[in-house]
Amino acid sequence: MLLPTRSLILLTTTCLLRPTTATPPCPLEGPVFPKPLHLSQSNTIKTAVANLTTTFEDFAVSSAKNFSFTLSVFSAHDAEPVFSFFHTAPKLASINTTGVKTVDSDTVFRIGSLTKVLTNYLFLINAGDRIWNEPITKYVDELRALGNGSEVTNTAWDQVTIGGLASQMTGIPRDYALLGELTQTPATRDKVIEYGFPPLSDDERPPCGDFPTCDREQFFHGIASFYPSLAPFTSPAYSNVAFQLLGYALETITGKTFDSLLQETLINPLGLNRTFLRKPEESLGVIQGTPAKTGWTFDLGESAAAGNMYTSITDLSTIGRSILSYKLLDPVPTRRWLKPFSFSTDPKAAVGAPWGARRINVDPEQPYRWTTAYNKAGSIGMYSAVLAILPDYDIGFAALLHGDIPGNANFHLLDMAGKILLSAIESASRSEAASLYNGHYSSTTDKLNSSITISTDDLPGLSVTQWISNGTDFLRTSTILQNGYTPVTPRIRLYPADLTNKKQVVFKAIFEDADAPSKEGMFSTDCATWVNVEAVIYGSAAMDEVIFNAVDEEQGGKAGSVSLPALRVTLDREG
Ligand SMILES: *[C@@H]1O[C@H](CO)[C@@H](O)[C@H](O)[C@H]1NC(C)=O
Ligand SMILES: *[C@@H]1O[C@H](CO)[C@@H](O)[C@H](O)[C@H]1NC(C)=O
Ligand SMILES: *[C@@H]1O[C@H](CO)[C@@H](O)[C@H](O)[C@H]1NC(C)=O
Ligand SMILES: *[C@@H]1O[C@H](CO)[C@@H](O)[C@H](O)[C@H]1NC(C)=O
Ligand SMILES: *[C@@H]1O[C@H](CO)[C@@H](O)[C@H](O)[C@H]1NC(C)=O
Ligand SMILES: *[C@@H]1O[C@H](CO)[C@@H](O)[C@H](O)[C@H]1NC(C)=O
Ligand SMILES: *[C@@H]1O[C@H](CO)[C@@H](O)[C@H](O)[C@H]1NC(C)=O
């Protein structure tokens, strides 16, 4: 089964001659290194932060004359931000404002639809996702009364599930009377006939909307006559109504108001002092103009759960950290939450609840090295906001903006920060992993000729550069056993399993042929590592299981030994 030595020599030569044709590693989905715990101490990060400071100072002067913003990059493992930046629009100094004159980490901004993330968070904290597949009609009486239409002109409300609403998959109406309704929008309401729309009868015209906002009864009366937008679970389609309904359902389930749930289960436990569902004192906010004109005062009424909230960059970062550190929601439901539900038309973007999942190619030279940012943006009046969290690194990016904001400036700020920081974060993660796990481990107790060498290089994960088990070249043997053929160039890399206790950290070994012939086609892929996890088992222990031990906090978490359950051996670190 093993290759004769002659081929081995041949191989080495082939490898040296064709380094660029090597098959790229196909890691497991998720982090390729343990999550970095000491980003702020990393020199790579310090250099990147210095660069970011210069970059944002230049940007503030050249491109942000007319708006203010606060930005923060945070880690779940550090109370201080990795990077933060505050910019006050110069004109704020010269105008009359009832808000702050200088923006800082406590300045309150509106966040618009970013509210939806907090609504979903509150739902999961207070009701869980066990009822994700139950119909909304079970929890909202008015919808039950609307019946079970399945025609083109009636929404089949009994087919509209809680989870479908949370992930924008139900095809229900987007808004009722509030946003997008031409008869309610000051800029358009007097021009509709001019545009070519016919006159409406009184009962066709919403009796409420922008001002006064619709009460609960008017809202349900309104959506009763609305056609469905798409069949449920066809395509994601953005809806504000969905989040108003989720808010109502949560009130039914808990018997508490949305406001009190926000206060008791999010604001109080996290110690947030600048987060509000309804308009707070003007002196806390940044208001570049009159409160009415800037949109500071505009109240969404019954639709508050879809977009009414206000917060500061400190509070928004605290909320982001709480998600990543499982402070209010357990690890498993949190990880379930931070997964996409549907594709979108852009292959790099997917849709979750209600996160937009954005796939980011971490290393342009590695076609299968991707991480995912879970994003939600919002804008209302002259305010805009965005939060992106990257669970693979336990980090987040947040920005709050106000003033005359160019389109997409919220995402642009994150793009600027991410472009400089992400590769530094990957590099810092690799360095932390190197200091904890790199080394030569060998048998000291059983007098076995068994050893393994772990090191990091330019590729994702930890590399196994040498592996001998009781005198055999196990690097080669294991790769043959795993792949079912003799690999041209065996390659073993270790990726975190996210299984850990105070003393042990588990990695999965991935056994690849670094020079495998390409198999990519219409239905086939070169990269499906997940299919082969634990494919080889010896006496009920998986060959790919690698457990680092004595991961001692006092020693900075440095591994003292490695256990290989299939080989029934523990190898001690040398030196
Ligand atoms: C910041 O980094 C970018 C590349 O990441 C580089 O082009 C630029 O010159 C750097 N700027 C400063 C001020 O170091
Ligand atoms: C700021 O606003 C002024 C007047 O509205 C405009 O002329 C100028 O181009 C804007 N500046 C930037 C950097 O967008
Ligand atoms: C600011 O308000 C004061 C008093 O209300 C008024 O006298 C002044 O003209 C205003 N300034 C500007 C720039 O609007
Ligand atoms: C809708 O259908 C459900 C079963 O799917 C039924 O229990 C309910 O009574 C129906 N409601 C109306 C108003 O027809
Ligand atoms: C808000 O709370 C944080 C800690 O919870 C505290 O550091 C900060 O000073 C508070 N800010 C204000 C304005 O009270
Ligand atoms: C090591 O290999 C020898 C044969 O070379 C065998 O007799 C022995 O049982 C093996 N021991 C272990 C612990 O694998
Ligand atoms: C251990 O095994 C390897 C691989 O077979 C061999 O090259 C090496 O010489 C052996 N070492 C000892 C001390 O026997």
Side-chain angles (χ1 to χ4, degrees):
M1 189 182 254
L2 303 185
L3 271 184
T5 324
R6 191 161 43 94
S7 313
L8 245 179
I9 295 158
L10 242 174
L11 281 185
T12 323
T13 324
T14 323
C15 225
L16 289 174
L17 288 176
R18 307 183 289 117
T20 50
T21 60
T23 312
C26 171
L28 289 168
E29 163 62 14
V32 299
F33 299 109
K35 302 183 183 185
L37 303 182
H38 308 289
L39 281 180
S40 54
Q41 289 159 34
S42 149
N43 285 330
T44 318
I45 296 291
K46 284 178 189 160
T47 306
V49 163
N51 184 321
L52 275 178
T53 305
T54 313
T55 303
F56 274 93
E57 279 166 0
D58 292 349
F59 173 82
V61 171
S62 68
S63 313
K65 285 197 177 64
N66 299 330
F67 66 98
S68 305
F69 66 89
T70 60
L71 178 128
S72 170
V73 182
F74 56 87
S75 158
H77 305 288
D78 207 336
E80 291 301 312
V82 175
F83 172 72
S84 59
F85 195 86
F86 314 110
H87 166 68
T88 306
K91 73 158 70 152
L92 209 56
S94 62
I95 62 162
N96 278 342
T97 174
T98 46
V100 301
K101 279 287 183 188
T102 307
V103 304
D104 62 23
S105 60
D106 279 329
T107 304
V108 175
F109 293 69
R110 297 204 72 170
I111 60 169
S113 288
L114 177 46
T115 302
K116 291 182 175 71
V117 161
L118 304 185
T119 298
N120 220 310
Y121 198 16
L122 279 181
F123 202 103
L124 293 172
I125 291 166
N126 290 287
D129 60 4
R130 219 163 290 180
I131 59 171
W132 236 223
N133 290 328
E134 291 190 0
I136 184 70
T137 47
K138 193 168 164 188
Y139 301 100
V140 180
D141 290 346
E142 292 95 330
L143 292 177
R144 200 155 52 239
L146 288 183
N148 300 332
S150 56
E151 311 277 328
V152 167
T153 55
N154 289 303
T155 293
W157 288 105
D158 61 333
Q159 304 288 309
V160 170
T161 59
I162 302 275
L165 291 170
S167 53
Q168 303 284 23
M169 287 300 293
T170 58
I172 63 162
R174 180 187 179 101
D175 273 289
Y176 172 65
L178 194 55
L179 301 171
E181 171 59 76
L182 297 176
T183 63
Q184 289 289 328
T185 310
T188 55
R189 68 182 157 213
D190 299 326
K191 299 199 189 122
V192 285
I193 308 295
E194 208 179 297
Y195 291 154
F197 292 101
L200 295 179
S201 63
D202 278 350
D203 62 339
E204 284 173 315
R205 191 192 309 275
C208 53
D210 206 34
F211 186 82
T213 51
C214 302
D215 64 22
R216 182 164 172 147
E217 195 185 334
Q218 288 170 320
F219 166 74
F220 283 109
H221 186 261
I223 62 171
S225 63
F226 232 115
Y227 293 0
S229 179
L230 297 170
F233 292 94
T234 304
S235 165
Y238 200 85
S239 169
N240 290 308
V241 165
F243 282 76
Q244 185 166 347
L245 296 176
L246 282 177
Y248 289 151
L250 184 58
E251 290 182 333
T252 306
I253 292 162
T254 59
K256 292 187 173 171
T257 64
F258 188 80
D259 307 41
S260 67
L261 289 168
L262 177 66
Q263 191 66 42
E264 289 162 20
T265 66
L266 191 75
I267 291 177
N268 293 350
L270 294 182
L272 309 178
N273 45 22
R274 291 288 186 269
T275 300
F276 311 90
L277 183 61
R278 308 279 175 190
K279 174 174 70 82
E281 283 171 49
E282 287 162 18
S283 63
L284 298 179
V286 53
I287 304 173
Q288 188 176 309
T290 67
K293 252 192 157 164
T294 55
W296 175 266
T297 37
F298 177 44
D299 191 285
L300 296 184
E302 289 284 312
S303 304
N308 210 68
M309 289 182 63
Y310 300 71
T311 196
S312 66
I313 200 75
T314 296
D315 280 6
L316 187 55
S317 306
T318 303
I319 292 164
R321 271 193 204 94
S322 78
I323 296 171
L324 293 167
S325 61
Y326 314 125
K327 194 160 180 185
L328 302 177
L329 194 61
D330 286 342
V332 175
T334 300
R335 289 201 286 266
R336 209 153 50 219
W337 186 28
L338 298 178
K339 289 279 180 267
F341 185 85
S342 172
F343 294 117
S344 80
T345 320
D346 180 345
K348 285 198 231 170
V351 183
W355 304 102
R358 184 86 202 164
R359 298 285 275 169
I360 300 166
N361 186 199
V362 178
D363 178 351
E365 290 182 9
Q366 292 301 327
Y368 303 126
R369 177 66 194 108
W370 295 80
T371 192
T372 308
Y374 291 84
N375 306 333
K376 185 75 194 82
S379 60
I380 186 165
M382 290 166 67
Y383 295 86
S384 98
V386 63
L387 172 68
I389 58 179
L390 285 78
D392 286 356
Y393 302 100
D394 278 354
I395 60 158
F397 293 70
L400 299 171
L401 301 81
H402 171 64
D404 296 319
I405 309 169
N408 254 2
N410 50 356
F411 279 107
H412 181 58
L413 293 180
L414 261 51
D415 288 344
M416 278 169 59
K419 196 173 162 208
I420 294 168
L421 257 187
L422 194 70
S423 59
I425 288 168
E426 172 88 341
S427 157
S429 308
R430 175 182 279 114
S431 300
E432 272 192 43
S435 70
L436 302 183
Y437 304 109
N438 278 7
H440 184 65
Y441 301 79
S442 60
S443 171
T444 51
T445 47
D446 303 332
K447 292 207 182 104
L448 277 176
N449 180 2
S450 291
S451 63
I452 191 167
T453 306
I454 310 291
S455 80
T456 48
D457 49 27
D458 292 344
L459 298 179
L462 308 177
S463 172
V464 174
T465 55
Q466 168 271 340
W467 192 355
I468 291 168
S469 178
N470 195 13
T472 73
D473 178 358
F474 201 71
L475 198 153
R476 173 160 291 272
T477 317
S478 60
T479 308
I480 294 168
L481 287 170
Q482 173 77 35
N483 291 285
Y485 76 101
T486 302
V488 182
T489 313
R491 177 176 63 205
I492 303 179
R493 305 198 70 87
L494 308 181
Y495 301 107
D498 216 356
L499 293 166
T500 177
N501 59 33
K502 285 205 161 55
K503 292 279 171 201
Q504 296 183 300
V505 177
V506 182
F507 282 70
K508 296 308 268 188
I510 302 300
F511 308 86
E512 292 170 317
D513 182 351
D515 287 294
S518 175
K519 295 187 291 282
E520 189 124 294
M522 181 184 284
F523 295 101
S524 45
T525 173
D526 276 343
C527 181
T529 287
W530 68 273
V531 178
N532 294 318
V533 172
E534 299 216 339
V536 179
I537 303 164
Y538 181 60
S540 301
M543 185 177 71
D544 63 15
E545 185 88 347
V546 175
I547 306 175
F548 288 95
N549 306 299
V551 181
D552 193 343
E553 283 298 328
E554 313 239 313
Q555 305 278 313
K558 196 166 169 151
S561 65
V562 60
S563 294
L564 305 163
L567 299 176
R568 272 76 180 172
V569 74
T570 293
L571 306 175
D572 296 314
R573 181 195 281 278
E574 281 181 14

